[in-house]
């Protein structure tokens, strides 16, 4: 499968080894690079500068560059394939917050700010120049709490059963401090504002709040409260002279990462209805406009992240991430151009969509010839149980959305735009999410938006609590477990029709 | 005569509740469980035969398919609806004692948890296997079960849990039930529950799917 090459990423200072002919898209998204137009090569949002080495151009790539009027040392990451050693500067960090062309009016401020997305799995911190809105630098890390379980419920359990709240709190605070201090150390600038967003459980742990109310019915969280901390108590570098603000949760399991998503999609300013769907374990969904916003967590489970799937894995090297059937045989894309080891969420969605179309899986989700699995690219398979697992996840999300729409008394057609958030969104094939009935909106309305939590956190660096409070005032959390219709809707939405 | 029962079996297995129901598409416009049960009773077929030779068989067939992954939650719920439609006609015969049920099972989702779909499937399967089911709903602690066990000693207790954080409440319920009567059977289930956990908390039976529970219950009944 060809040679290995070394890629250096600036300004991250990361060095990685990759196989020949690996698409850059496969490896860069892990480093927080976003592909605003979903890798179509039209927006230029993923442009990179070649400091050393060369990425060969094909006609299509050349045309895209010409159209965008970019200089010869620039490439679009979404169109690039590795054929030599490279040193790349990730241009995205030099561009404005929203890598797409839409405008976010902000009042330039003095100094520098840090936006932090405190995820259950990954932590990202970006340093911004508040006078220009440009991102100067970024650091990412894995959440060190992962050792105590992958999902939020296992963290809650650890915190409660083992009196482990302070252990988890210390771990996360140390990591965040290390990331912040690294940014300050590299840039030696005066930081005036730090904003953190994260799901409700991460917020509770970081803030040292008791998790017991989140462990059982009625799942109450300290909703809509801002928590602020002094840089000293968080052991931040002395050059930070600002309050550190953890944005408020919206209710129950819907956290400030989703509030940030509302900011990022500007749902709260829109006259028309907008929907936001986070395809993670909690499966948070939001529908609303400038007058009223409803949110819920659908508890989809980890199927989209490849967990509980026989050969499932995260979207990393060796995962089948997309499957296409163009009539002349099924084509598989394996991340990193390697021998496949497993399948990630986007691959699973594709596989099921392709096999429904080929009439190998029926509308109820049964494999038609009564076998218990379907072979993909050897040795990878999907099993009958994997299909069932996906049906639960997609059924929960689609049912939750239907309930929010019903409560707003609107239909799918009345929603103007739908944004998909979540790490694996980059690989997802929108047509196939429709085919399997995961997202039941018109295709041209659906947009992948990448890390909406981080985008929103960056935007909130320019906002005050008073700017955010009106959003909280029009936002209601819907507890899906209290909806009697859920079961029937859920069953209905599990079908592939 | 047995033709009706065969048709009824198919309706329960395939989830055809009544004539107007559009599901399943290939049975559109045909009589469903509702009409067929009424007809069977009118024709003088014994309610006990209707239960044992049609409903129980149909439910067992769909339960088997579900165990094998060949049917899933939507199909099971449609079968449940068909069975319910048939049961409406049979209820009077249960109360009159003309139809004998195998025993009573009280079911609920454990305290702190509101996930009830799995529990509902177990309830319909158990009922469809010829047992009387008392469904206590969700967020069920020992206090709700206690009165039932006092009124009907020996009632089998079934508990469901979907959250690892509330699963521990099963332990308390098992302890209290056993304190009342060490021989009172408690069975448990739900996605995070395991055989090890069942052994650990001293419950009598665990199964990952309803069919296992039916086999176990039928073993007790015979
Ligand atoms: C649907 C669903 C919901 C619905 C529930 C609707 C309802 N009325 O039940 C909604 C959206 C409301 C919901 C909410 C929550 N959920 Co939820 N939910 C799910 C989901 C998607 C499917 C569960 C389900 O119905 N399965 C189908 C049924 C048929 O399966 P089952 O229950 O396991 O039952 C089968 C067997 O276990 C067995 N069985 C069940 N009971 C019994 C009993 C006996 C005696 C026997 C013998 C057998 C048996 O028979 C059944 C048939 O085979 C799962 C994720 C997933 N993909 O599985 C998460 C999941 C269960 N939820 C989860 C969580 C965390 C929650 C919330 C706490 C938080 C949140 N994210 O919103 C809330 C709280 C709800 C509450 N108040 O209790 C987690 C639990 C994680 C954990 N480690 O404990 C899961 C696994 C998702 C995840 N995050 O990974 N949820």
């Amino acid at each position: 499968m060809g040679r290995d090459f070394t890629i250096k990423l600036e300004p991250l200072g990361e060095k990685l080894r990759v196989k020949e002919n690996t698409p850059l898209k496969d490896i860069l998204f892990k480093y927080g690079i976003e592909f605003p137009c979903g890798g179509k090569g039209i927006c230029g949002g993923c442009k990179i500068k070649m400091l050393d080495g060369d990425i060969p151009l094909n006609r299509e790539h050349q045309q895209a560059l010409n159209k965008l009027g970019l200089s010869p040392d620039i490439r679009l990451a979404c169109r690039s394939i590795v054929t030599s050693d490279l040193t790349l500067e990730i241009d995205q960090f030099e561009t404005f917050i929203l890598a797409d062309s839409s405008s976010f009016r902000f009042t330039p401020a003095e100094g520098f700010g840090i936006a932090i997305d405190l995820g259950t799995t990954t932590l990202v911190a970006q340093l911004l120049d508040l006078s220009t809105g440009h991102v100067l630098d970024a650091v990412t890390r894995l959440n060190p709490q992962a050792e105590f379980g992958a999902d939020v419920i296992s963290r809650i359990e650890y915190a409660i059963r083992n009196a482990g709240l302070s252990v988890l709190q210390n771990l996360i605070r140390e990591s965040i401090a290390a990331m912040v201090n690294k940014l300050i150390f590299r840039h030696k600038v005066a930081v005036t504002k730090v904003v953190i967003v994260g799901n409700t459980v991460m917020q509770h742990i970081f803030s040292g709040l008791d998790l017991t109310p989140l462990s059982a019915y009625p799942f109450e969280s300290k909703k809509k409260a801002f928590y602020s901390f002094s840089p000293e108590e968080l052991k931040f570098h002395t050059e930070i002279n600002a309050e550190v603000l953890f944005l408020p949760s919206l209710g129950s399991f819907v956290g400030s990462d989703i509030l940030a998503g509302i900011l990022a999609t500007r749902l709260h300013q829109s006259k028309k209805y907008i929907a936001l769907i986070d395809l993670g374990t909690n499966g948070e969904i939001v529908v609303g406009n400038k007058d009223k916003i409803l949110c819920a967590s659908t508890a989809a489970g980890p199927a989209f992240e490849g967990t509980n799937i026989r050969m499932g894995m995260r979207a990393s090297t060796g995962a089948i991430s997309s499957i296409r059937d163009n009539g002349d045989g099924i084509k598989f894309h394996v991340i990193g151009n390697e021998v496949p080891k497993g399948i990630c969420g986007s691959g699973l969605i594709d596989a099921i969509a392709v096999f429904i179309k080929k009439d190998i899986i029926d509308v109820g989700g049964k494999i038609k010839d009564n076998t218990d699995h379907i072979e993909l690219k050897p040795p990878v398979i999907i099993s009958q149980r994997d299909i069932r697992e996906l049906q639960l996840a997609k059924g929960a999300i689609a049912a939750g959305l239907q309930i929010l729409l019903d409560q707003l008394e609107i239909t799918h057609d009345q929603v103007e735009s739908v944004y998909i958030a979540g790490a694996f969104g980059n690989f997802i094939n929108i047509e196939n999410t429709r085919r399997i009935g995961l997202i039941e909106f018109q295709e041209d309305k659906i947009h992948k938006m990448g890390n909406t939590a981080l985008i929103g956190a960056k935007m909130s660096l320019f906002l005050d609590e008073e700017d955010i409070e009106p959003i909280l005032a029009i936002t209601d959390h819907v507890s899906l477990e209290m909806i009697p219709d859920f079961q029937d809707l859920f069953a209905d939405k599990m079908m592939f029709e | 005569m047995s033709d009706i029962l065969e048709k009824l079996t198919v309706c329960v297995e395939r989830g055809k509740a009544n004539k107007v129901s559009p599901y399943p598409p290939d049975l559109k416009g045909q009589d469903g469980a509702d009409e067929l049960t009424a007809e069977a009773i009118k024709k003088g077929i014994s309610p006990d035969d209707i239960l044992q030779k049609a409903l129980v068989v149909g439910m067992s067939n769909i339960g088997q398919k579900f165990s094998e992954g060949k049917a899933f939650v939507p199909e099971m719920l449609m079968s449940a609806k068909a069975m319910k439609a048939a049961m409406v006609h049979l209820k009077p015969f249960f109360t009159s004692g003309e139809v004998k049920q195998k025993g009573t099972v009280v079911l609920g989702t454990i305290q702190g948890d509101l996930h009830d779909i799995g529990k509902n499937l177990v309830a319909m399967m158990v009922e469809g296997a010829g047992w009387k089911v008392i469904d206590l709903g969700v967020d069920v602690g020992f206090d709700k079960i206690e009165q039932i066990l006092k009124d009907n000693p020996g009632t089998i207790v079934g508990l469901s849990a979907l959250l690892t954080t509330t699963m521990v409440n099963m332990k308390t319920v098992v302890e209290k039930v056993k304190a009342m009567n060490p021989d009172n059977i408690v069975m448990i289930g739900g996605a995070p529950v395991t055989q090890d956990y069942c052994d650990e908390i001293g419950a009598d039976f665990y199964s990952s799917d309803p069919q296992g529970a039916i086999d176990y219950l039928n073993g007790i009944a015979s």
Side-chain angles (χ1 to χ4, degrees), chain A residues 29-175:
Chain A
F29 103 106
K30 258 196 288 187
Y31 295 92
I33 311 300
E34 283 154 34
F35 298 87
C37 69
K40 294 196 207 84
I42 49 180
C43 73
C46 63
K47 60 181 189 287
I48 45 171
K49 194 170 179 178
M50 296 178 294
L51 301 178
D52 195 32
D54 188 48
I55 296 169
L57 285 170
N58 59 18
R59 222 168 59 107
E60 193 192 359
H61 195 168
Q62 180 72 64
Q63 277 170 355
L65 293 177
N66 292 349
K67 224 182 226 156
L68 292 161
L70 297 171
S71 61
D73 57 343
I74 300 289
R75 294 287 182 269
L76 299 182
C78 70
R79 303 273 111 176
S80 298
I81 283 172
V82 179
T83 56
S84 68
D85 288 340
L86 295 167
T87 303
L88 303 174
E89 184 175 278
I90 295 162
D91 210 52
Q92 198 164 81
F93 297 143
E94 295 296 322
T95 56
F96 183 59
I97 302 176
L98 289 173
D100 66 16
S101 51
S102 51
S103 61
F104 162 58
R105 254 181 276 277
F106 71 100
T107 326
E110 292 273 304
F112 297 81
I114 294 177
I116 299 169
D117 169 25
L118 199 175
T120 312
T121 315
T122 352
L123 315 173
V124 188
Q126 291 193 342
L127 176 69
L128 273 83
D129 180 340
L130 298 180
S131 63
T132 62
H134 284 175
V135 177
L136 302 179
D137 200 353
V139 263
T140 63
R141 273 196 179 207
L142 290 176
N143 188 328
Q145 299 167 351
E147 157 186 2
F148 303 101
D151 60 74
V152 290
I153 296 287
S154 42
R155 309 273 169 89
I156 293 179
E157 262 188 275
Y158 179 79
I160 295 175
R161 274 202 222 159
N162 308 44
L165 179 59
S166 62
V167 175
L168 296 178
Q169 186 189 26
N170 288 339
L171 276 174
I172 190 63
R173 286 193 173 192
E174 276 165 23
S175 281

Side-chain angles (χ1 to χ4, degrees), chain A residues 6-17 28 30-31 86-88 90 138-141 182 186:
Chain A
T6 303
I7 301 184
K8 281 192 217 142
L9 297 180
E10 302 297 347
L12 300 177
E14 300 277 352
K15 217 189 223 179
L16 24 143
R17 294 288 287 170
L28 290 189
K30 258 196 288 187
Y31 295 92
L86 295 167
T87 303
L88 303 174
I90 295 162
V139 263
T140 63
R141 273 196 179 207
K182 191 168 174 184
R186 282 195 201 152

Side-chain angles (χ1 to χ4, degrees), chain B residues 148-212:
Chain B
I148 296 198
L149 295 187
K150 276 187 184 149
D151 295 346
N152 318 278
T155 298
I156 294 170
V157 178
L159 301 170
S160 177
L162 264 283
L163 295 169
T164 40
T165 44
T166 56
M167 186 171 104
V168 290
N169 296 339
M170 284 177 154
K171 185 171 182 216
T172 325
V173 174
V174 171
E175 276 165 10
K176 291 189 174 159
V177 171
K178 296 286 176 187
M180 253 178 108
N181 172 6
D183 296 328
N184 203 315
I185 289 171
V186 184
M187 50 180 202
I188 60 172
V193 181
T194 59
Q195 184 62 51
D196 281 351
Y197 186 68
C198 175
D199 298 342
E200 184 191 317
I201 66 170
D204 299 279
F205 179 75
Y206 157 78
S207 166
S208 65
D209 79 329
Q211 197 55 40

Side-chain angles (χ1 to χ4, degrees), chain A residues 250-251 253-268 272-279 282-290 292-298 397 400-405 408 410 415-421 441 452 471 474-478 480:
Chain A
L250 296 174
F253 280 82
V254 185
S256 54
D257 47 346
I258 302 302
L259 170 62
I262 292 176
L263 289 172
T265 54
R266 277 165 295 170
L267 203 145
H268 61 294
K272 304 253 173 77
Y273 284 101
I274 291 181
L276 170 68
I277 304 170
D278 186 327
L279 293 176
N282 279 333
E284 296 93 337
I285 51 173
V286 185
V287 186
N289 62 10
K290 65 177 182 38
K292 190 176 167 110
I293 300 173
L294 295 182
C295 65
S297 76
T298 63
I397 287 183
L401 266 165
Q402 186 68 58
I403 286 164
L404 296 195
L405 294 175
L408 289 166
I410 58 171
V415 176
E416 176 88 344
S417 306
V418 180
Y419 294 97
I420 302 180
F441 293 94
T452 51
I471 307 177
I474 58 165
T475 305
D476 279 320
H477 172 265
V478 177
L480 297 176

Side-chain angles (χ1 to χ4, degrees), chain A residues 151 153 217 219 253 281-282 297-302 389 392 396 480-481 486 490, chain B residues 66 73 113-119 121-122 159-160 162-164 187-191 207-210 213:
Chain A
D151 60 74
I153 296 287
Y217 175 72
F219 297 95
F253 280 82
T281 304
N282 279 333
S297 76
T298 63
E389 211 50 57
L392 291 175
L480 297 176
E481 57 270 22
F486 188 89
F490 181 44
Chain B
F66 183 81
V73 181
D113 192 344
L114 299 196
H115 289 89
D116 63 355
I117 299 166
K119 183 263 303 163
L121 293 187
V122 174
L159 301 170
S160 177
L162 264 283
L163 295 169
T164 40
M187 50 180 202
I188 60 172
S207 166
S208 65
D209 79 329

Side-chain angles (χ1 to χ4, degrees), chain A residues 157 215 217 366 388 487-488, chain B residues 69-70 81 112 120 164-165:
Chain A
E157 262 188 275
S215 70
Y217 175 72
K366 184 166 87 78
R388 300 310 188 192
Q487 174 170 301
D488 281 346
Chain B
K70 289 178 186 152
K81 284 185 182 148
N120 294 346
T164 40
T165 44

